[in-house]
Amino acid sequence: MSEPTAEQLDAYVMTRLALAGFDLSLLPEVFDADTGVPTRSQVVVSLRSFVASTPRAISGWAPPAETPADAQQASPPLMYPSITEAWTGKADA
């Protein structure tokens, strides 16, 4: 499987932004030092870099287990374990 091109990644990023309801046209085309708001191209470049690197690392993660069947039963790591523990009542334990 070949790596996606920059154009393919841009199309993916733009599609995901549109599906999330984010209007990229609201961002400025030229950097404004007064507001510090990133430009459209800066956002696309940053998200392209993220998509090209981070999801692959996340999808390659597997929990430690003796067998693949056991690994399927293991929970993935929680992004905010303290919040989950508070919701489940395990925070006070």
Side-chain angles (χ1 to χ4, degrees):
M1 180 178 212
S2 63
E3 295 292 319
T5 65
E7 292 79 21
Q8 290 171 325
L9 289 172
D10 286 351
Y12 176 78
V13 165
M14 301 296 268
T15 301
R16 294 297 297 193
L17 288 174
L19 288 172
F22 185 84
D23 185 1
L24 197 60
S25 69
L26 296 175
L27 295 176
E29 290 184 22
V30 179
F31 181 73
D32 181 4
D34 292 336
T35 63
V37 175
T39 65
R40 297 173 196 171
S41 61
Q42 287 173 323
V43 169
V44 172
V45 167
S46 177
L47 290 172
R48 180 190 324 138
S49 174
F50 172 81
V51 168
S53 62
T54 306
R56 184 177 303 123
I58 293 171
S59 67
W61 181 84
E66 292 182 22
T67 67
D70 291 341
Q72 290 179 350
Q73 302 301 317
S75 297
L78 297 172
M79 188 174 288
Y80 303 104
S82 61
I83 295 170
T84 302
E85 290 171 1
W87 287 341
T88 60
K90 296 180 181 179
D92 298 328

Coordinates of all heavy atoms in Angstrom, one line a residue:
M1 N 0.8 -1.2 0.0 CA 0.0 0.0 0.0 C 0.9 1.2 0.0 O 1.8 1.4 0.8 CB -0.9 0.0 1.2 CG -1.8 1.1 1.3 SD -2.9 0.9 2.8 CE -4.3 1.7 2.2
S2 N 0.6 2.1 -0.9 CA 1.5 3.3 -1.0 C 1.0 4.4 -0.1 O -0.2 4.4 0.3 CB 1.5 3.9 -2.4 OG 0.2 4.2 -2.8
E3 N 1.9 5.3 0.3 CA 1.5 6.5 1.2 C 0.6 7.4 0.4 O 0.8 7.6 -0.8 CB 2.8 7.2 1.6 CG 3.7 6.3 2.5 CD 3.1 6.1 3.8 OE1 2.4 7.0 4.4 OE2 3.2 4.9 4.3
P4 N -0.4 8.0 1.1 CA -1.2 9.0 0.4 C -0.4 10.3 0.0 O 0.5 10.6 0.7 CB -2.3 9.3 1.4 CG -1.8 8.9 2.7 CD -0.8 7.8 2.4
T5 N -0.8 10.9 -1.1 CA -0.1 12.1 -1.5 C -0.6 13.3 -0.7 O -1.7 13.2 0.0 CB -0.4 12.4 -3.0 OG1 -1.8 12.6 -3.2 CG2 0.0 11.2 -3.9
A6 N 0.1 14.4 -0.8 CA -0.4 15.6 -0.1 C -1.8 16.0 -0.6 O -2.6 16.5 0.2 CB 0.6 16.7 -0.4
E7 N -2.0 15.9 -1.9 CA -3.3 16.2 -2.4 C -4.4 15.3 -1.8 O -5.5 15.8 -1.5 CB -3.4 16.2 -3.9 CG -2.5 17.2 -4.6 CD -1.0 16.8 -4.6 OE1 -0.7 15.6 -4.5 OE2 -0.2 17.8 -4.8
Q8 N -4.2 14.1 -1.7 CA -5.1 13.1 -1.1 C -5.4 13.5 0.4 O -6.5 13.4 0.8 CB -4.7 11.7 -1.3 CG -4.7 11.2 -2.7 CD -4.0 9.9 -2.9 OE1 -3.0 9.6 -2.2 NE2 -4.5 9.0 -3.8
L9 N -4.3 13.8 1.1 CA -4.5 14.1 2.5 C -5.2 15.4 2.6 O -6.1 15.6 3.5 CB -3.1 14.2 3.2 CG -2.3 12.9 3.4 CD1 -0.9 13.2 3.9 CD2 -3.1 12.0 4.3
D10 N -5.0 16.4 1.8 CA -5.7 17.7 1.8 C -7.2 17.4 1.5 O -8.0 18.0 2.2 CB -5.2 18.7 0.8 CG -3.8 19.3 1.2 OD1 -3.4 19.0 2.3 OD2 -3.2 19.9 0.3
A11 N -7.5 16.6 0.6 CA -8.9 16.3 0.3 C -9.6 15.6 1.5 O -10.7 15.9 1.8 CB -9.0 15.4 -0.9
Y12 N -8.8 14.7 2.1 CA -9.4 14.0 3.3 C -9.6 15.1 4.4 O -10.7 15.1 5.1 CB -8.4 13.0 3.8 CG -8.8 12.3 5.1 CD1 -9.8 11.3 5.1 CD2 -8.2 12.6 6.3 CE1 -10.2 10.7 6.3 CE2 -8.6 12.0 7.5 CZ -9.6 11.1 7.5 OH -10.0 10.5 8.6
V13 N -8.6 15.9 4.7 CA -8.8 17.0 5.7 C -10.0 17.9 5.4 O -10.8 18.1 6.3 CB -7.5 17.8 5.9 CG1 -7.7 19.0 6.7 CG2 -6.4 16.9 6.5
M14 N -10.1 18.3 4.2 CA -11.2 19.2 3.8 C -12.5 18.5 4.0 O -13.5 19.1 4.4 CB -11.0 19.7 2.4 CG -9.7 20.4 2.2 SD -9.6 21.9 3.1 CE -10.2 23.1 1.9
T15 N -12.6 17.3 3.6 CA -13.8 16.5 3.8 C -14.2 16.4 5.2 O -15.4 16.6 5.6 CB -13.7 15.1 3.1 OG1 -13.4 15.3 1.7 CG2 -15.0 14.3 3.2
R16 N -13.2 16.0 6.0 CA -13.5 15.8 7.5 C -13.9 17.1 8.1 O -14.8 17.2 9.0 CB -12.3 15.2 8.2 CG -11.9 13.8 7.8 CD -13.0 12.8 8.1 NE -13.1 12.8 9.6 CZ -13.8 11.9 10.2 NH1 -14.4 10.9 9.6 NH2 -13.9 11.9 11.5
L17 N -13.3 18.2 7.7 CA -13.7 19.5 8.3 C -15.1 19.9 7.9 O -15.9 20.3 8.7 CB -12.7 20.6 7.8 CG -11.3 20.6 8.4 CD1 -10.5 21.7 7.7 CD2 -11.4 20.9 9.9
A18 N -15.5 19.6 6.6 CA -16.8 19.9 6.1 C -17.8 19.0 6.8 O -18.9 19.5 7.2 CB -16.9 19.7 4.6
L19 N -17.5 17.7 7.0 CA -18.5 16.9 7.7 C -18.7 17.3 9.2 O -19.7 17.1 9.8 CB -17.9 15.4 7.7 CG -18.0 14.7 6.3 CD1 -17.3 13.4 6.4 CD2 -19.5 14.6 5.9
A20 N -17.6 17.9 9.8 CA -17.7 18.3 11.2 C -18.4 19.7 11.2 O -18.6 20.2 12.3 CB -16.3 18.4 11.8
G21 N -18.7 20.3 10.1 CA -19.3 21.6 10.1 C -18.4 22.8 10.2 O -18.8 23.9 10.5
F22 N -17.1 22.5 10.0 CA -16.1 23.6 10.1 C -16.0 24.3 8.8 O -15.6 23.7 7.8 CB -14.8 23.1 10.6 CG -13.8 24.1 10.9 CD1 -13.8 24.8 12.1 CD2 -12.9 24.5 9.9 CE1 -12.8 25.8 12.3 CE2 -12.0 25.5 10.1 CZ -11.9 26.2 11.3
D23 N -16.2 25.6 8.8 CA -16.1 26.4 7.5 C -14.7 27.0 7.5 O -14.5 28.0 8.1 CB -17.2 27.5 7.5 CG -17.2 28.2 6.2 OD1 -16.4 27.9 5.3 OD2 -18.1 29.1 6.1
L24 N -13.9 26.4 6.7 CA -12.5 26.9 6.6 C -12.4 28.3 6.0 O -11.5 29.0 6.3 CB -11.7 25.9 5.7 CG -10.2 25.9 5.8 CD1 -9.7 25.7 7.2 CD2 -9.6 24.9 4.8
S25 N -13.4 28.7 5.3 CA -13.4 30.0 4.7 C -13.5 31.1 5.7 O -13.3 32.3 5.4 CB -14.5 30.1 3.6 OG -15.8 30.2 4.2
L26 N -13.9 30.8 6.9 CA -13.9 31.8 8.0 C -12.6 32.2 8.5 O -12.4 33.2 9.1 CB -14.8 31.3 9.2 CG -16.2 31.0 8.9 CD1 -16.9 30.3 10.1 CD2 -17.0 32.2 8.4
L27 N -11.6 31.4 8.2 CA -10.2 31.8 8.6 C -9.6 32.7 7.6 O -9.9 32.7 6.4 CB -9.3 30.5 8.7 CG -9.7 29.5 9.8 CD1 -8.9 28.3 9.8 CD2 -9.7 30.2 11.2
P28 N -8.7 33.6 8.1 CA -8.1 34.5 7.1 C -7.1 33.9 6.2 O -6.6 32.8 6.4 CB -7.3 35.5 8.1 CG -7.0 34.7 9.3 CD -8.2 33.7 9.4
E29 N -6.9 34.5 5.0 CA -5.9 34.0 4.0 C -4.5 34.5 4.4 O -3.6 33.9 4.0 CB -6.3 34.4 2.6 CG -7.6 33.7 2.1 CD -7.9 34.1 0.7 OE1 -7.0 34.5 0.0 OE2 -9.1 33.9 0.3
V30 N -4.5 35.6 5.1 CA -3.2 36.3 5.4 C -3.1 36.3 7.0 O -4.1 36.6 7.6 CB -3.1 37.7 4.9 CG1 -1.8 38.3 5.3 CG2 -3.2 37.7 3.3
F31 N -1.9 36.0 7.5 CA -1.8 35.9 9.0 C -2.0 37.3 9.5 O -1.5 38.3 9.0 CB -0.4 35.4 9.3 CG -0.1 35.4 10.8 CD1 -0.7 34.4 11.6 CD2 0.7 36.3 11.4 CE1 -0.5 34.3 12.9 CE2 0.9 36.2 12.8 CZ 0.3 35.3 13.5
D32 N -2.7 37.4 10.6 CA -3.0 38.6 11.4 C -2.3 38.5 12.7 O -2.7 37.8 13.6 CB -4.5 38.8 11.5 CG -4.8 40.1 12.2 OD1 -3.9 40.9 12.6 OD2 -6.0 40.3 12.5
A33 N -1.2 39.3 12.9 CA -0.5 39.2 14.2 C -1.3 39.7 15.4 O -1.0 39.3 16.5 CB 0.8 40.0 14.0
D34 N -2.3 40.6 15.1 CA -3.1 41.1 16.2 C -4.0 40.0 16.8 O -4.1 40.0 18.1 CB -4.0 42.2 15.7 CG -3.2 43.5 15.4 OD1 -2.0 43.6 15.9 OD2 -3.7 44.3 14.5
T35 N -4.5 39.1 16.0 CA -5.4 38.1 16.6 C -4.7 36.8 16.8 O -5.0 36.0 17.6 CB -6.6 37.8 15.6 OG1 -6.1 37.3 14.4 CG2 -7.4 39.1 15.4
G36 N -3.6 36.5 16.0 CA -2.9 35.2 16.0 C -3.7 34.1 15.5 O -3.2 32.9 15.6
V37 N -4.8 34.3 14.8 CA -5.6 33.3 14.2 C -4.8 32.7 13.0 O -4.2 33.4 12.2 CB -6.9 33.8 13.7 CG1 -7.7 32.7 13.0 CG2 -7.7 34.3 14.9
P38 N -4.7 31.3 13.0 CA -3.9 30.7 11.9 C -4.6 30.9 10.5 O -5.9 31.1 10.5 CB -3.9 29.2 12.2 CG -5.0 29.0 13.1 CD -5.3 30.3 13.9
T39 N -3.9 30.9 9.5 CA -4.4 31.1 8.2 C -5.0 29.7 7.7 O -4.8 28.7 8.3 CB -3.4 31.5 7.1 OG1 -2.4 30.5 7.0 CG2 -2.7 32.8 7.5
R40 N -5.8 29.8 6.6 CA -6.4 28.6 6.1 C -5.3 27.6 5.7 O -5.4 26.4 6.1 CB -7.2 28.9 4.8 CG -8.4 29.8 5.1 CD -9.0 30.2 3.8 NE -9.9 31.3 4.0 CZ -10.5 32.0 3.1 NH1 -10.4 31.7 1.9 NH2 -11.3 33.0 3.4
S41 N -4.3 28.0 5.1 CA -3.2 27.1 4.6 C -2.5 26.6 5.8 O -2.1 25.4 5.8 CB -2.3 27.8 3.6 OG -1.6 28.9 4.3
Q42 N -2.3 27.3 6.9 CA -1.6 26.8 8.1 C -2.4 25.7 8.7 O -1.8 24.7 9.2 CB -1.4 27.9 9.1 CG -0.3 28.9 8.7 CD -0.2 30.1 9.7 OE1 -1.2 30.6 10.2 NE2 1.0 30.6 9.9
V43 N -3.7 25.9 8.8 CA -4.6 24.8 9.3 C -4.5 23.6 8.5 O -4.3 22.5 9.1 CB -6.0 25.4 9.5 CG1 -7.0 24.2 9.8 CG2 -6.1 26.5 10.5
V44 N -4.6 23.7 7.2 CA -4.6 22.5 6.4 C -3.2 21.8 6.5 O -3.2 20.6 6.6 CB -4.9 22.9 4.9 CG1 -4.7 21.7 4.0 CG2 -6.3 23.4 4.8
V45 N -2.1 22.5 6.5 CA -0.8 21.9 6.6 C -0.7 21.2 7.9 O -0.1 20.1 8.0 CB 0.3 23.0 6.4 CG1 1.7 22.5 6.8 CG2 0.3 23.5 5.0
S46 N -1.1 21.8 9.0 CA -1.0 21.2 10.3 C -1.9 20.0 10.4 O -1.4 18.9 10.9 CB -1.5 22.2 11.4 OG -1.5 21.7 12.6
L47 N -3.1 20.0 9.9 CA -3.9 18.8 9.9 C -3.4 17.7 9.0 O -3.5 16.5 9.3 CB -5.4 19.2 9.6 CG -6.1 20.0 10.7 CD1 -7.4 20.5 10.1 CD2 -6.2 19.2 11.9
R48 N -2.9 18.1 7.9 CA -2.3 17.1 7.0 C -1.1 16.4 7.7 O -1.0 15.1 7.6 CB -1.7 17.8 5.7 CG -1.1 16.8 4.7 CD -0.4 17.4 3.6 NE -0.9 18.6 3.1 CZ -0.1 19.7 2.7 NH1 1.2 19.6 2.9 NH2 -0.7 20.7 2.2
S49 N -0.3 17.1 8.4 CA 0.8 16.5 9.1 C 0.3 15.6 10.2 O 0.8 14.5 10.4 CB 1.7 17.6 9.7 OG 2.6 17.1 10.6
F50 N -0.8 16.0 10.9 CA -1.4 15.2 12.0 C -1.9 13.9 11.4 O -1.6 12.8 11.9 CB -2.5 15.9 12.7 CG -3.3 15.1 13.6 CD1 -2.8 14.8 14.9 CD2 -4.5 14.5 13.2 CE1 -3.5 14.0 15.8 CE2 -5.2 13.7 14.1 CZ -4.7 13.5 15.4
V51 N -2.7 14.0 10.3 CA -3.3 12.8 9.7 C -2.2 11.8 9.1 O -2.4 10.6 9.2 CB -4.3 13.2 8.6 CG1 -4.7 12.0 7.7 CG2 -5.5 13.9 9.2
A52 N -1.1 12.4 8.6 CA -0.1 11.5 8.1 C 0.7 10.8 9.1 O 1.3 9.8 8.8 CB 0.9 12.4 7.2
S53 N 0.7 11.2 10.4 CA 1.5 10.6 11.4 C 0.7 10.0 12.5 O 0.9 8.8 12.8 CB 2.5 11.6 11.9 OG 1.8 12.7 12.6
T54 N -0.1 10.7 13.2 CA -0.7 10.3 14.5 C -1.7 9.1 14.3 O -1.5 8.2 15.1 CB -1.4 11.5 15.2 OG1 -0.4 12.5 15.3 CG2 -1.9 11.1 16.5
P55 N -2.7 9.1 13.4 CA -3.6 8.0 13.4 C -2.9 6.6 13.1 O -3.3 5.6 13.7 CB -4.5 8.3 12.2 CG -4.5 9.8 12.2 CD -3.1 10.2 12.6
R56 N -1.8 6.7 12.4 CA -1.1 5.4 12.1 C -0.5 4.9 13.4 O -0.5 3.7 13.7 CB 0.0 5.6 11.1 CG 0.8 4.4 10.7 CD 1.8 4.6 9.6 NE 1.2 5.2 8.4 CZ 1.6 6.3 7.9 NH1 2.6 7.0 8.4 NH2 1.0 6.8 6.8
A57 N 0.1 5.8 14.2 CA 0.6 5.4 15.5 C -0.5 4.9 16.5 O -0.3 3.9 17.2 CB 1.4 6.5 16.2
I58 N -1.6 5.5 16.4 CA -2.7 5.1 17.3 C -3.3 3.7 16.8 O -3.5 2.8 17.6 CB -3.8 6.1 17.3 CG1 -3.3 7.4 18.0 CG2 -5.1 5.6 18.0 CD1 -4.3 8.6 17.9
S59 N -3.5 3.6 15.5 CA -4.0 2.3 15.0 C -3.1 1.2 15.2 O -3.5 0.0 15.2 CB -4.5 2.5 13.6 OG -3.3 2.6 12.7
G60 N -1.8 1.4 15.3 CA -0.8 0.3 15.5 C -0.7 -0.1 16.9 O -0.1 -1.1 17.2
W61 N -1.4 0.6 17.8 CA -1.3 0.2 19.2 C -2.1 -1.1 19.5 O -3.2 -1.2 19.0 CB -1.8 1.3 20.1 CG -1.7 1.0 21.6 CD1 -0.6 1.1 22.4 CD2 -2.7 0.4 22.4 NE1 -0.9 0.7 23.7 CE2 -2.2 0.3 23.7 CE3 -4.0 0.1 22.2 CZ2 -2.9 -0.2 24.8 CZ3 -4.8 -0.5 23.2 CH2 -4.2 -0.6 24.5
A62 N -1.6 -2.0 20.3 CA -2.3 -3.1 20.8 C -2.0 -3.3 22.2 O -0.9 -3.2 22.7 CB -1.9 -4.4 20.0
P63 N -3.1 -3.7 23.0 CA -2.8 -3.9 24.4 C -2.0 -5.1 24.7 O -2.1 -6.1 23.9 CB -4.3 -4.1 25.0 CG -5.1 -4.5 23.8 CD -4.4 -3.9 22.6
P64 N -1.2 -5.1 25.7 CA -0.4 -6.3 26.0 C -1.4 -7.5 26.4 O -2.3 -7.3 27.3 CB 0.5 -5.9 27.2 CG -0.2 -4.7 27.8 CD -1.0 -4.0 26.7
A65 N -1.2 -8.6 25.8 CA -2.0 -9.7 26.1 C -1.3 -11.0 25.7 O -0.4 -11.0 24.9 CB -3.4 -9.6 25.4
E66 N -1.7 -12.1 26.3 CA -1.1 -13.4 25.9 C -1.5 -13.9 24.5 O -0.7 -14.5 23.9 CB -1.4 -14.4 27.0 CG -0.8 -14.1 28.3 CD -1.2 -15.2 29.4 OE1 -1.5 -16.3 29.0 OE2 -1.1 -14.9 30.6
T67 N -2.7 -13.6 24.1 CA -3.1 -14.0 22.8 C -3.9 -12.9 22.1 O -4.4 -12.0 22.8 CB -4.1 -15.2 22.9 OG1 -5.3 -14.8 23.5 CG2 -3.5 -16.4 23.7
P68 N -4.0 -13.0 20.8 CA -4.8 -11.9 20.1 C -6.2 -11.9 20.6 O -6.8 -10.8 20.6 CB -4.7 -12.3 18.6 CG -3.4 -13.1 18.5 CD -3.3 -13.8 19.8
A69 N -6.8 -13.0 20.9 CA -8.2 -13.0 21.4 C -8.3 -12.2 22.8 O -9.2 -11.5 23.0 CB -8.7 -14.4 21.6
D70 N -7.3 -12.4 23.6 CA -7.3 -11.6 24.9 C -7.1 -10.2 24.6 O -7.7 -9.3 25.3 CB -6.2 -12.1 25.8 CG -6.5 -13.5 26.3 OD1 -7.6 -14.0 26.3 OD2 -5.5 -14.2 26.8
A71 N -6.3 -9.8 23.6 CA -6.0 -8.4 23.3 C -7.3 -7.7 22.9 O -7.5 -6.5 23.1 CB -5.0 -8.3 22.2
Q72 N -8.2 -8.4 22.2 CA -9.5 -7.8 21.7 C -10.3 -7.5 22.9 O -11.2 -6.6 22.8 CB -10.2 -8.8 20.8 CG -9.5 -9.0 19.5 CD -10.3 -9.9 18.6 OE1 -11.2 -10.6 19.0 NE2 -9.9 -10.0 17.3
Q73 N -10.2 -8.2 24.0 CA -11.0 -7.9 25.2 C -10.5 -6.8 26.1 O -11.2 -6.3 26.9 CB -11.2 -9.2 26.0 CG -11.8 -10.4 25.3 CD -13.1 -10.1 24.7 OE1 -14.0 -9.5 25.4 NE2 -13.4 -10.4 23.5
A74 N -9.2 -6.5 25.9 CA -8.6 -5.5 26.7 C -9.1 -4.1 26.3 O -9.4 -3.8 25.2 CB -7.1 -5.5 26.6
S75 N -9.2 -3.2 27.3 CA -9.7 -1.9 27.0 C -8.6 -1.0 26.5 O -7.5 -1.1 26.9 CB -10.3 -1.2 28.3 OG -11.4 -1.9 28.8
P76 N -8.9 -0.1 25.5 CA -7.9 0.8 25.1 C -7.6 1.8 26.2 O -8.4 2.0 27.0 CB -8.5 1.4 23.8 CG -10.0 1.3 24.0 CD -10.1 0.0 24.8
P77 N -6.5 2.5 26.1 CA -6.2 3.4 27.2 C -7.2 4.6 27.1 O -7.6 5.0 26.0 CB -4.7 3.9 26.8 CG -4.6 3.6 25.4 CD -5.4 2.4 25.1
L78 N -7.5 5.1 28.3 CA -8.5 6.2 28.3 C -7.7 7.5 28.2 O -6.6 7.7 28.8 CB -9.2 6.2 29.7 CG -10.1 5.0 29.9 CD1 -10.6 5.0 31.3 CD2 -11.2 5.0 28.9
M79 N -8.3 8.5 27.4 CA -7.6 9.7 27.3 C -7.7 10.5 28.6 O -6.7 11.2 29.0 CB -8.3 10.5 26.2 CG -7.6 11.8 25.8 SD -8.2 12.6 24.4 CE -7.7 11.5 23.1
Y80 N -8.8 10.5 29.3 CA -9.0 11.2 30.5 C -9.5 10.2 31.6 O -10.6 10.2 32.0 CB -10.0 12.3 30.4 CG -9.6 13.3 29.3 CD1 -10.3 13.3 28.0 CD2 -8.6 14.2 29.5 CE1 -9.9 14.2 27.0 CE2 -8.2 15.1 28.5 CZ -8.9 15.1 27.3 OH -8.5 15.9 26.3
P81 N -8.5 9.4 32.1 CA -9.0 8.4 33.1 C -9.6 9.0 34.4 O -10.5 8.4 34.9 CB -7.7 7.6 33.4 CG -6.6 8.5 32.9 CD -7.1 9.4 31.9
S82 N -9.1 10.1 34.8 CA -9.7 10.7 36.1 C -11.1 11.0 35.9 O -11.9 10.8 36.8 CB -8.9 11.9 36.5 OG -9.0 12.9 35.5
I83 N -11.6 11.5 34.8 CA -13.0 11.8 34.5 C -13.8 10.5 34.5 O -14.8 10.4 35.1 CB -13.1 12.6 33.2 CG1 -12.5 13.9 33.3 CG2 -14.6 12.8 32.9 CD1 -12.4 14.7 32.0
T84 N -13.3 9.5 33.8 CA -14.0 8.2 33.7 C -14.1 7.6 35.1 O -15.2 7.1 35.5 CB -13.3 7.3 32.8 OG1 -13.2 7.9 31.5 CG2 -14.0 6.0 32.6
E85 N -13.1 7.7 35.9 CA -13.1 7.1 37.2 C -14.1 7.9 38.1 O -14.8 7.3 38.9 CB -11.7 7.2 37.9 CG -10.8 6.2 37.3 CD -9.3 6.3 37.7 OE1 -9.1 7.2 38.6 OE2 -8.5 5.6 37.2
A86 N -14.2 9.2 37.9 CA -15.2 9.9 38.7 C -16.6 9.6 38.3 O -17.5 9.4 39.1 CB -15.0 11.4 38.5
W87 N -16.9 9.3 37.0 CA -18.2 9.0 36.5 C -18.6 7.6 37.0 O -19.7 7.3 37.2 CB -18.2 9.0 35.0 CG -18.2 10.3 34.4 CD1 -18.5 11.5 34.9 CD2 -17.9 10.7 33.0 NE1 -18.4 12.6 34.1 CE2 -18.0 12.1 32.9 CE3 -17.5 9.9 31.9 CZ2 -17.7 12.7 31.7 CZ3 -17.2 10.6 30.7 CH2 -17.4 12.0 30.6
T88 N -17.6 6.7 37.0 CA -17.9 5.3 37.4 C -17.8 5.1 38.9 O -18.1 4.0 39.4 CB -16.9 4.3 36.7 OG1 -15.6 4.6 37.1 CG2 -17.1 4.4 35.2
G89 N -17.5 6.1 39.7 CA -17.4 6.0 41.1 C -16.1 5.4 41.6 O -16.0 5.1 42.8
K90 N -15.2 5.2 40.8 CA -13.9 4.6 41.2 C -12.9 5.6 41.7 O -11.8 5.2 42.1 CB -13.3 3.7 40.1 CG -14.2 2.6 39.7 CD -13.5 1.8 38.6 CE -14.4 0.6 38.1 NZ -13.8 -0.1 37.0
A91 N -13.2 6.9 41.6 CA -12.3 7.9 42.0 C -12.0 7.9 43.5 O -10.9 8.3 43.9 CB -12.8 9.3 41.6
D92 N -13.0 7.5 44.3 CA -12.8 7.6 45.7 C -12.2 6.3 46.3 O -11.8 6.2 47.5 CB -14.2 7.8 46.4 CG -14.8 9.1 46.0 OD1 -14.1 10.0 45.8 OD2 -16.1 9.1 45.9
A93 N -12.0 5.3 45.5 CA -11.5 4.0 46.0 C -10.0 4.1 46.2 O -9.3 4.9 45.8 CB -11.8 2.9 44.9

